[in-house]
Amino acid sequence: MNATTAIGIDIGGTGIKGAVVNVITGELLSDRVKLSTPKGGSPDDIIATTRQLLDTISQGQGSLPIGVCFPAVIKNGRTMSAANISRDWIGLEAEKRFEAAFHQPIHFVNDADAAGHAEAQYGAAKGVRGVVLLTTLGTGIGSALLNDGVLVPNTELGHLEIDGHDAETRASYSAKEKDNLSWEKWAGRLQTYYTTLEKLFSPDLFLVGGGVSKSYQEFLPLLTLQTPIIPAELRNNAGILGAASLAVQTAPPAPRRQDM
Ligand code: BGC
């Protein structure tokens, strides 16, 4: 097994993306392939689509470590929540189910945590000391808390209750779309959200990810915060890169010669 190469898979509510990654440099070594998430998002259907994806991207590469990121709290390989995905995943031994299907170790991680780890390894948080808080603004809000580049997993700060609301129902990008908000109106909600995070965590840096972060000029300049706030760098690849990198860091050591 080549410990510099791994496969990252990013499972989301609408798409499942994956690629082979050089985990030292953060380069993609294959095309990034995206398939639609099967309707209903049941574990068996998602495993079937992941199989199709793996067949496409890992041709001839042998068995590489596989990391999977997923929009849920992940505890000891189990998916423990399901905010925007089928409830069948709650409490599921996801890692074990995938390992049984693919006959190899698989590492599961929360999607925003994967993105945060990737930014620390290869992107906007690389070499940044202190507390960095990444939020991804998409269908929901994901969060990753890093201190000196080390991840504290499963912070789920999209579900902070603010003014009686689950924060992601007000401030996610899908809330902007659903409520047909202008950039200015949405920025008002983001102001409330980031001010709350600032009070709670006194971060040194905010990173903003998710698809809308490519339009950061429309809304980040409208925010007034003590903390610098900048777009994340790795865009669509962040989850894939972070999942692949964590799969290698947590892969069991290769057998020693005398054990073989
Ligand atoms: C989920 C998180 C996830 C985020 C972004 C939230 O609704 O609870 O686990 O990281 O969405 O996908």
Side-chain angles (χ1 to χ4, degrees), residues 51-80:
R51 188 185 301 286
Q52 247 179 289
L53 185 88
L54 284 171
D55 287 347
T56 318
I57 60 180
S58 65
Q59 278 169 355
Q61 305 256 9
S63 116
L64 294 171
I66 299 177
V68 175
C69 70
F70 193 84
V73 170
I74 313 286
K75 265 319 230 190
N76 303 318
R78 281 177 192 250
T79 42
M80 301 303 289

Side-chain angles (χ1 to χ4, degrees), residues 5-10 16-22 26-35 50 52-59 61 64 236-237 240-241 244:
T5 309
I7 292 175
I9 309 272
D10 181 350
I16 304 183
K17 302 176 278 194
V20 180
V21 173
N22 176 329
E27 280 168 288
L28 298 193
L29 301 176
S30 72
D31 285 344
R32 190 170 66 104
V33 177
K34 180 171 178 180
L35 300 177
T50 304
Q52 247 179 289
L53 185 88
L54 284 171
D55 287 347
T56 318
I57 60 180
S58 65
Q59 278 169 355
Q61 305 256 9
L64 294 171
N236 274 333
N237 293 337
I240 292 174
L241 293 173

Side-chain angles (χ1 to χ4, degrees), residues 70-73 81 83-84 110-113 136 140-143 156 159 168:
F70 193 84
V73 170
S81 62
N84 296 299
N110 169 267
D111 55 357
D113 283 341
T136 59
I141 295 182
S143 62
E156 291 290 328
H159 298 297
E168 72 175 21

Side-chain angles (χ1 to χ4, degrees), residues 137-138 173 176 183 186 208-217 219:
L137 304 174
Y173 180 62
K176 174 185 187 302
W183 291 110
W186 186 48
V208 179
V212 69
S213 66
K214 66 175 179 298
S215 309
Y216 69 94
Q217 273 142 336
F219 61 98

Side-chain angles (χ1 to χ4, degrees), residues 14-239:
T14 54
I16 304 183
K17 302 176 278 194
V20 180
V21 173
N22 176 329
V23 296
I24 308 295
T25 61
E27 280 168 288
L28 298 193
L29 301 176
S30 72
D31 285 344
R32 190 170 66 104
V33 177
K34 180 171 178 180
L35 300 177
S36 296
T37 304
K39 222 169 170 232
S42 75
D44 283 341
D45 289 348
I46 287 199
I47 286 174
T49 306
T50 304
R51 188 185 301 286
Q52 247 179 289
L53 185 88
L54 284 171
D55 287 347
T56 318
I57 60 180
S58 65
Q59 278 169 355
Q61 305 256 9
S63 116
L64 294 171
I66 299 177
V68 175
C69 70
F70 193 84
V73 170
I74 313 286
K75 265 319 230 190
N76 303 318
R78 281 177 192 250
T79 42
M80 301 303 289
S81 62
N84 296 299
I85 193 107
S86 155
R87 298 185 67 79
D88 294 354
W89 290 84
I90 299 179
L92 188 82
E93 299 215 55
E95 243 173 43
K96 279 206 180 138
R97 284 281 282 271
F98 273 60
E99 286 175 352
F102 298 110
H103 310 292
Q104 68 165 96
I106 308 262
H107 180 69
F108 258 70
V109 59
N110 169 267
D111 55 357
D113 283 341
H117 173 76
E119 293 293 338
Q121 295 289 308
Y122 319 110
K126 189 172 175 181
V128 178
R129 310 277 306 171
V131 174
V132 177
L133 192 43
L134 164 80
T135 49
T136 59
L137 304 174
T139 309
I141 295 182
S143 62
L145 182 64
L146 299 157
N147 185 35
D148 289 347
V150 178
L151 181 69
V152 180
N154 294 315
T155 43
E156 291 290 328
L157 299 175
H159 298 297
L160 273 182
E161 187 180 316
I162 302 178
D163 300 334
H165 300 278
D166 185 39
E168 72 175 21
T169 64
R170 304 277 299 161
S172 63
Y173 180 62
S174 64
K176 174 185 187 302
E177 293 207 301
K178 183 171 68 66
D179 296 343
N180 212 358
L181 301 178
S182 63
W183 291 110
E184 289 72 19
K185 280 261 160 44
W186 186 48
R189 293 185 181 185
L190 292 175
Q191 179 69 44
T192 305
Y193 182 57
Y194 287 112
T195 305
T196 306
L197 292 182
E198 202 164 49
K199 271 194 220 144
L200 291 173
F201 295 96
S202 302
D204 296 288
L205 178 66
F206 280 123
L207 294 182
V208 179
V212 69
S213 66
K214 66 175 179 298
S215 309
Y216 69 94
Q217 273 142 336
E218 304 285 354
F219 61 98
L220 291 188
L222 306 180
L223 303 179
T224 307
L225 298 161
Q226 311 282 333
T227 314
I229 184 162
I230 60 171
E233 278 176 12
L234 303 170
R235 301 277 157 81
N236 274 333
N237 293 337

